[in-house]
Amino acid sequence: MALEAFDKQKMVDDMDEDDEPLVFKRSSSSAKKNQSNAEANKSSFQKHDQQLGRPKPEARSLNGQSTIPQKGKMIPPSKSPPVKSPLATPKSSNSSAMASSIKSSEVNSKPSTSVSHAKQQIKEEKLSTEAAGEHSEDSDDPEDNKPLSARLSTSFPKTNSNHGNKRPNASNLGQKLKPKREDSDDEKPLSSKIQVKNNVGSSTSKSYYSDEKKPLLAKTNQNGSASMEMKPSNIIKKRPADGFNSASQPSLKKPKLPDTPTPNKNKVSSVKVEKKEEDDEDHIPISQRMKKPTSSDKKPSSVKNLTRPGSSISKKTTMKSKKFVKNSKYSKSSKLPPSSGEGQKWTTLVHNGVIFPPPYKPHGVKMLYKGKPVDLTPEQEEVATMYAVMLETEYMSKPQFKENFMTDWRKILGKNHTIQSLDLCDFTPIYEWHQKEKEKKKQMSTDEKKALKEEKLKQEEKYMWAVVDGVREKVGNFRVEPPGLFRGRGEHPKMGKLKKRIRPSDITINIGKDAPIPECPIPGERAILFLENIQEQLVFSILVVKINILDVIFFRWGEIRHDNTVTWLAYWIDPINSREFKYVFLAASSTLKGQSDKEKYEKARLLKEYILGIRAAYTKDFGSKEPTKKQIAVATYLIDKLALRAGNEKDDDEADTVGCCTLKVENVEPVPPNILKILFLPGKKGGDDLFDKLDTSKLNAHLKELMPGLTAKVFRTYNASITLDDMLSKETKGGEVAEKVVVYQHANKQVAIICNHQRSVSKSHSAQMTRLNEKIDELKGVVEELKTDLTRAKKGKPPLKNADGKPKRNMNPDALERKIAQTNAKIEKMERDKETKEDLKTVALGTSKINYLDPRITVAWCKRQEVPIEKIFNKSLLAKFAWAMDVDPGFRF
DNA sequence: ACCATGACTTGGCCGGATTTTG
DNA sequence: CAAAATCCGGCCAAGTCATGGT
């Protein structure tokens, strides 16, 4: 106890007054355990701490440097804020249907999920033929017809008070931690500083209202998106227009306007001044401003106050007593994404853009064509190398891959290039060169590797962070994807195509209006084209010196937006599928992501209230005369019971996997009397749809009538989480931490099986199994030997000689027996290990842990069972689930 | 109603880091 | 201490679902 107290104290110190230690212990049954637990907690926290607090020298210089409001195309915001459909208005009409008469379709087989990627999968569902078709009314075996989790689950604690675990707790951890370390004002990006001031009382001398008086023109100048605001009509309604500006000029959906005039490119200083003024108010969307009084929850940064609901204090002391308002149906949580209104995701957003892969370094190794070396330009060589590197992979046996590659490579080679046929190419010189390079790298000393790593880190550091509403948050994927050959999964029609290099001009940046436009780290293409000849370059170099607009001209992003209704920081067009985007988002640990993660689970929990009704309803509709209704019923059943994915339509140029709504007749094979075999991945496409009256939007539209916000995927989340909760509560028997962890893993495994999270069998799997078997056999041999020794010992004879003829130590019977028991235990353990290994060889646990299991279940269970959370969540999961850490130990899903 | 688009979540592999084993 | 096993984060493909235009 003393020990624990000590640790706690220490931790508290380490992290500052009201930071909440990640300690779950409520009592200290074992001082040692506690200590290590605490230790672990602490260290992970401290790290976190450091990261967040790390001074960020670049930030400053960067900001300072962009003296010129760089002009990309400053595009006025595009879309009006989505109006979220209120989850808040549950219609219970349907859900009240009698639940008890669920059809009895027996399901023995393991449920699993729909789509598989190139993995052969056969699903057998004992689905009484009636269930799918005829429908029979009565059910005799209630257990059997309960879908998935229902079968596992006992009654839900009616009392489920935790339910409420309301919002305020939500982002507690994250928020509390972060703002505080923004301490040194210096490292704060301009806008965040300003923001803080705003809230506190502003030294910039601009009140909220000042904005209204600001002449329109001034504003126009600053953001460069003059066009809209100049319209007379806007002048009248100036306030609103301005406020929504960023978010809601509906008419401007995708304004691919040509560069808007940039008013004062050369009046740097004046711009600066104005910018300042504008800062105060302009970047605060109107919705937010109006909200201010009421939405205590939001408060952009800085008012780090004590009384935050769910703050650590109350928590430490009153885990138990925290009873939650069962705010029925969570109307709030989904309605007001805790921040402001109308789809707004942030108020200020500052970041440094993205980092590009290094340019291609030609190696000069010549490949052979018809046996002779060929000269290639660096661009041609680059692509050849991408291919050469893959020589020893199975792609070489895929005609589709080769063909697509050749088509794209040829474009770069040019029409009349020596190289005409891939078959006559010999890439081995390049391949071998590459192997050597790899080898070299491997041979590098640890120090060298370390140095290299640090170098990289140094370069990337500034891209790793963004500041959202004054809070420093990690960026997820700030690295632009390097060029390469596309590898789809399975037999993808586009495999082998060249994924071209992404240039700055391909990239659209989304950033706060008042944030400095990130410096573009490499030349953008337009600039280069623009300055094709020497004279122009000369002229421009003079200009550059004179007005210092180097970055404006030479380095340029494709587009700059200020759309606070979305969370992405940047995107570019997917070079493989030009209809798709590649986004840069914040990392999973960010508040924004945590928020929506929590909402996801809350929605799934809401389904709990409706599920019986829904099941009753679809069971009833199995027999519906209306084909659509019937199909919806069966589809819902499959989604619920087998955790199938929804199954959106796909184009022909995508992989040919199916989900529920895209099941083809060939996917399904009835096996009398009442089994339905579902095979995913039928042969070719083109078969008839099993559900010809159905697609995901119809299905989801229907589901939405049953429960607000319900969609197909919610069933997956629901079934996964409820299963975990259930198994944990039923199967945790006490005992050592290690045993409890096993229980958890077992439950985790069940969930993974339900969701059909697959993985490929490791190459060494069979070898590992054999080795295990050998070891077991060996141990069994030992036991036998010990047994004979034992019988001999009992008779007073000495043990037999060893295999190699050496005598063994003479042991007394007791010792021998103990040894036998020991060895047997070892054998048993190995057998178990073997079993789980075999079990899990094709099952991936990670996916469900990351995406489907409500972390609060895990955290609460850990608290109850006194299992250190680190035994279950690794560092990144801990960060991702920060929002769940302060859950009440009594929480049930 | 239907379709295209946009934004965001989910999924599995790979290679390097870390831990375990011999 | 090296080799093997395992873990983990990064990567990027492939899903889901909402929305808005027609």
Side-chain angles (χ1 to χ4, degrees):
Chain A
M1 203 51 198
L3 227 171
E4 187 195 5
F6 170 74
D7 278 333
K8 255 188 191 157
Q9 183 50 52
K10 187 164 165 235
M11 273 186 291
V12 168
D13 288 346
D14 280 344
M15 40 180 101
D16 255 358
E17 348 75 19
D18 67 7
D19 266 343
E20 169 161 80
L22 240 196
V23 188
F24 290 168
K25 293 297 173 175
R26 281 178 298 166
S27 67
S28 59
S29 53
S30 142
K32 233 194 242 158
K33 256 189 270 167
N34 281 342
Q35 186 184 23
S36 63
N37 185 16
E39 219 31 67
N41 280 329
K42 187 184 71 179
S43 63
S44 72
F45 244 64
Q46 282 175 332
K47 259 185 211 153
H48 199 185
D49 228 323
Q50 281 162 5
Q51 287 176 332
L52 293 166
R54 179 164 40 231
K56 213 178 56 171
E58 292 92 338
R60 181 111 202 230
S61 63
L62 183 96
N63 291 343
Q65 169 186 91
S66 48
T67 47
I68 305 180
Q70 267 189 41
K71 301 246 60 116
K73 295 188 217 162
M74 299 279 210
I75 299 289
S78 28
K79 359 187 320 179
S80 50
V83 181
K84 286 256 153 92
S85 80
L87 239 191
T89 54
K91 282 201 207 169
S92 46
S93 50
N94 281 327
S95 61
S96 57
M98 282 310 320
S100 47
S101 75
I102 299 172
K103 233 260 64 183
S104 87
S105 48
E106 152 66 301
V107 175
N108 293 343
S109 53
K110 303 286 184 64
S112 92
T113 195
S114 63
V115 182
S116 78
H117 307 293
K119 262 171 206 157
Q120 175 75 353
Q121 230 185 120
I122 298 177
K123 195 100 292 168
E124 284 192 16
E125 170 79 347
K126 268 213 218 161
L127 168 66
S128 54
T129 39
E130 317 91 81
E134 250 39 58
H135 165 250
S136 75
E137 196 61 59
D138 38 17
S139 59
D140 21 78
D141 188 351
E143 266 301 293
D144 283 341
N145 42 36
K146 281 190 226 153
L148 290 182
S149 54
R151 277 171 280 154
L152 292 157
S153 66
T154 33
S155 53
F156 299 120
K158 235 314 35 102
T159 51
N160 219 336
S161 49
N162 22 25
H163 207 254
N165 186 331
K166 35 175 194 321
R167 163 131 333 232
N169 282 347
S171 39
N172 239 336
L173 245 180
Q175 298 213 343
K176 243 182 295 157
L177 275 173
K178 290 164 189 169
K180 112 163 35 112
R181 35 196 67 83
E182 299 283 305
D183 32 43
S184 107
D185 219 18
D186 276 348
E187 37 182 287
K188 267 191 252 170
L190 185 61
S191 67
S192 72
K193 278 191 239 175
I194 290 172
Q195 186 193 5
V196 169
K197 284 179 200 146
N198 256 346
N199 290 323
V200 180
S202 129
S203 52
T204 12
S205 81
K206 281 298 169 186
S207 77
Y208 285 137
Y209 301 100
S210 67
D211 182 40
E212 295 184 15
K213 294 167 199 139
K214 208 183 299 170
L216 180 59
L217 261 183
K219 302 170 60 69
T220 307
N221 285 346
Q222 297 140 18
N223 61 19
S225 51
S227 49
M228 283 316 287
E229 286 163 300
M230 298 253 230
K231 290 199 193 138
S233 64
N234 277 354
I235 295 180
I236 302 165
K237 300 188 142 191
K238 182 184 167 272
R239 204 61 166 72
D242 167 31
F244 283 147
N245 172 344
S246 236
S248 62
Q249 295 289 2
S251 53
L252 284 187
K253 175 63 197 193
K254 273 210 272 186
K256 296 266 148 71
L257 305 174
D259 283 14
T260 35
T262 44
N264 28 19
K265 235 181 207 163
N266 40 6
K267 290 195 268 172
V268 175
S269 60
S270 78
V271 167
K272 260 192 144 172
V273 171
E274 282 168 7
K275 198 168 165 70
K276 266 232 161 110
E277 298 188 337
E278 172 195 39
D279 270 340
D280 279 347
E281 169 64 89
D282 225 26
H283 69 290
I284 303 180
I286 208 164
S287 53
Q288 170 105 7
R289 284 179 236 159
M290 301 196 302
K291 229 158 174 133
K292 279 262 160 66
T294 40
S295 90
S296 60
D297 209 46
K298 172 52 191 182
K299 81 153 157 290
S301 82
S302 104
V303 191
K304 45 172 74 186
N305 70 40
L306 346 120
T307 41
R308 272 282 249 337
S311 85
S312 55
I313 301 159
S314 67
K315 178 204 149 201
K316 261 180 234 157
T317 50
T318 64
M319 285 210 159
K320 256 310 155 65
S321 64
K322 240 207 249 165
K323 275 304 156 176
F324 313 103
V325 201
K326 167 159 187 171
N327 85 33
S328 60
K329 300 328 177 195
Y330 296 18
S331 15
K332 279 216 219 103
S333 66
S334 43
K335 174 65 187 191
L336 317 165
S339 45
S340 26
E342 302 317 279
Q344 182 184 327
K345 299 292 192 351
W346 46 265
T347 300
T348 65
L349 173 62
V350 184
H351 63 85
N352 292 313
V354 292
I355 188 169
F356 291 86
Y360 179 68
K361 269 210 237 107
H363 48 65
V365 177
K366 295 202 189 333
M367 57 172 294
L368 310 177
Y369 190 71
K370 295 185 181 167
K372 296 202 199 88
V374 198
D375 284 328
L376 296 177
T377 68
E379 292 74 30
Q380 297 164 346
E381 181 195 286
E382 179 179 18
V383 181
T385 305
M386 293 171 188
Y387 188 83
V389 157
M390 299 178 73
L391 278 193
E392 294 301 305
T393 70
E394 60 186 286
Y395 288 103
M396 290 303 114
S397 60
K398 308 202 174 190
Q400 180 79 271
F401 184 91
K402 293 179 157 186
E403 196 188 310
N404 286 338
F405 164 73
M406 199 54 203
T407 306
D408 284 359
W409 192 32
R410 200 175 269 129
K411 287 180 203 155
I412 292 173
L413 292 174
K415 233 185 175 157
N416 300 317
H417 199 274
T418 328
I419 295 176
Q420 290 296 328
S421 155
L422 184 57
D423 291 334
L424 302 176
C425 290
D426 181 357
F427 294 90
T428 39
I430 301 184
Y431 175 75
E432 276 160 12
W433 166 83
H434 175 253
Q435 292 304 101
K436 261 182 230 146
E437 289 296 301
K438 252 165 66 178
E439 188 54 27
K440 267 195 228 162
K441 226 180 194 176
K442 241 195 342 213
Q443 295 308 321
M444 279 191 317
S445 73
T446 355
D447 279 355
E448 286 172 309
K449 284 183 191 164
K450 201 180 255 171
L452 227 57
K453 224 171 121 182
E454 263 164 38
E455 174 62 20
K456 192 175 175 218
L457 185 71
K458 221 173 100 193
Q459 289 186 5
E460 295 187 337
E461 209 172 13
K462 75 173 190 187
Y463 299 98
M464 299 204 295
W465 302 94
V467 179
V468 184
D469 293 344
V471 178
R472 196 148 176 255
E473 303 269 24
K474 257 195 163 167
V475 178
N477 53 330
F478 49 86
R479 298 177 193 89
V480 169
E481 290 178 19
L485 302 184
F486 177 79
R487 297 131 120 128
R489 300 189 197 153
E491 293 301 311
H492 199 292
K494 296 201 171 176
M495 66 168 79
K497 280 179 68 65
L498 174 63
K499 216 165 53 150
K500 71 168 178 52
R501 185 175 287 270
I502 305 297
R503 300 147 309 173
S505 55
D506 298 322
I507 292 185
T508 297
I509 297 278
N510 190 35
I511 198 161
K513 231 178 173 184
D514 303 308
I517 306 300
E519 170 189 15
C520 183
I522 60 173
E525 180 185 65
R526 281 177 227 168
I528 290 170
L529 286 177
F530 194 44
L531 302 179
E532 248 164 7
N533 65 58
I534 291 268
Q535 281 97 333
E536 277 188 354
Q537 287 182 6
L538 264 176
V539 170
F540 269 89
S541 61
I542 294 166
L543 280 180
V544 160
V545 171
K546 279 223 160 127
I547 37 179
N548 191 21
I549 54 174
L550 181 80
D551 49 355
V552 176
I553 303 228
F554 287 92
F555 305 96
R556 196 192 235 179
W557 302 108
E559 189 183 327
I560 304 291
R561 282 196 217 165
H562 311 284
D563 183 350
N564 70 1
T565 67
V566 295
T567 66
W568 52 267
L569 310 185
Y571 79 74
W572 63 92
I573 307 276
D574 181 348
I576 292 299
N577 189 342
S578 56
R579 298 190 308 274
E580 287 172 6
F581 300 150
K582 297 287 200 173
Y583 290 96
V584 174
F585 290 116
L586 292 174
S589 55
S590 63
T591 331
L592 220 48
K593 293 277 195 194
Q595 191 61 55
S596 73
D597 212 24
K598 183 177 178 189
E599 278 161 22
K600 171 183 75 183
Y601 290 114
E602 285 304 302
K603 194 189 276 181
R605 291 178 79 205
L606 182 57
L607 176 54
K608 203 177 51 170
E609 316 283 328
Y610 291 82
I611 192 70
L612 289 182
I614 288 171
R615 284 172 181 162
Y618 67 60
T619 306
K620 189 157 146 259
D621 285 350
F622 286 162
S624 170
K625 303 269 186 311
E626 287 172 60
T628 311
K629 221 172 177 185
K630 191 162 164 176
Q631 290 191 11
I632 285 183
V634 177
T636 312
Y637 167 84
L638 292 176
I639 282 170
D640 183 17
K641 192 155 204 164
L642 302 189
L644 294 199
R645 297 192 192 91
N648 279 313
E649 292 297 337
K650 291 198 280 193
D651 282 344
D652 288 347
D653 58 3
E654 297 173 278
D656 56 346
T657 49
V658 298
C660 184
C661 291
T662 41
L663 282 171
K664 304 286 183 230
V665 175
E666 307 92 282
N667 291 115
V668 169
E669 178 189 337
V671 181
N674 62 350
I675 295 178
L676 185 61
K677 212 179 190 178
I678 304 178
L679 329 160
F680 300 91
L681 295 180
K684 276 288 126 196
K685 19 192 107 184
D688 290 334
D689 286 331
L690 179 62
F691 296 119
D692 62 328
K693 306 246 185 291
L694 212 54
D695 62 37
T696 53
S697 62
K698 285 177 194 143
L699 180 65
N700 280 334
H702 170 255
L703 292 177
K704 237 163 236 96
E705 290 172 9
L706 305 180
M707 182 192 107
L710 185 59
T711 62
K713 74 171 196 152
V714 180
F715 283 91
R716 265 167 92 74
T717 313
Y718 164 77
N719 277 314
S721 284
I722 198 80
T723 300
L724 176 73
D725 189 272
D726 227 61
M727 289 188 66
L728 286 184
S729 79
K730 280 201 197 136
E731 292 180 19
T732 311
K733 298 288 199 287
E736 297 291 305
V737 164
E739 299 171 57
K740 292 175 178 172
V741 171
V742 169
V743 169
Y744 187 92
Q745 278 164 349
H746 184 232
N748 193 171
K749 184 182 102 190
Q750 273 320 111
V751 172
I753 290 171
I754 286 172
C755 294
N756 190 32
H757 290 141
Q758 298 216 351
R759 61 172 186 162
S760 55
V761 181
S762 99
K763 255 180 270 160
S764 56
H765 176 81
S766 71
Q768 287 177 31
M769 288 310 277
T770 344
R771 203 158 344 140
L772 262 178
N773 278 327
E774 279 166 9
K775 262 188 234 160
I776 289 174
D777 286 349
E778 192 187 312
L779 283 177
K780 278 182 178 163
V782 172
V783 170
E784 286 313 307
E785 208 177 303
L786 286 170
K787 276 183 181 165
T788 46
D789 288 351
L790 176 61
T791 33
R792 290 175 67 90
K794 278 181 181 163
K795 293 178 197 158
K797 298 186 205 163
L800 291 173
K801 306 257 157 117
N802 254 341
D804 48 2
K806 286 182 193 153
K808 284 184 287 194
R809 194 158 57 92
N810 202 345
M811 302 210 293
N812 65 43
D814 275 0
L816 281 170
E817 269 177 27
R818 250 178 293 137
K819 188 134 194 197
I820 289 174
Q822 244 175 37
T823 317
N824 273 330
K826 222 178 189 173
I827 291 175
E828 268 169 45
K829 183 174 181 300
M830 287 184 94
E831 298 272 10
R832 277 202 309 276
D833 286 354
K834 192 178 104 184
E835 220 169 283
T836 45
K837 190 175 203 127
E838 185 65 32
D839 258 13
L840 292 178
K841 80 175 168 189
T842 58
V843 180
L845 301 189
T847 307
S848 52
K849 224 180 199 175
I850 295 174
N851 297 305
Y852 287 104
L853 301 176
D854 188 336
R856 291 169 300 181
I857 300 169
T858 303
V859 173
W861 176 81
C862 281
K863 286 177 178 175
R864 276 182 261 130
Q865 301 297 331
E866 300 189 357
V867 173
I869 189 69
E870 295 81 7
K871 297 273 183 204
I872 311 286
F873 288 158
N874 62 35
K875 213 172 67 183
S876 56
L877 288 177
L878 284 173
K880 167 168 181 170
F881 296 141
W883 60 269
M885 290 304 159
D886 61 353
V887 68
D888 185 280
F891 177 93
R892 298 295 304 275
F893 181 72

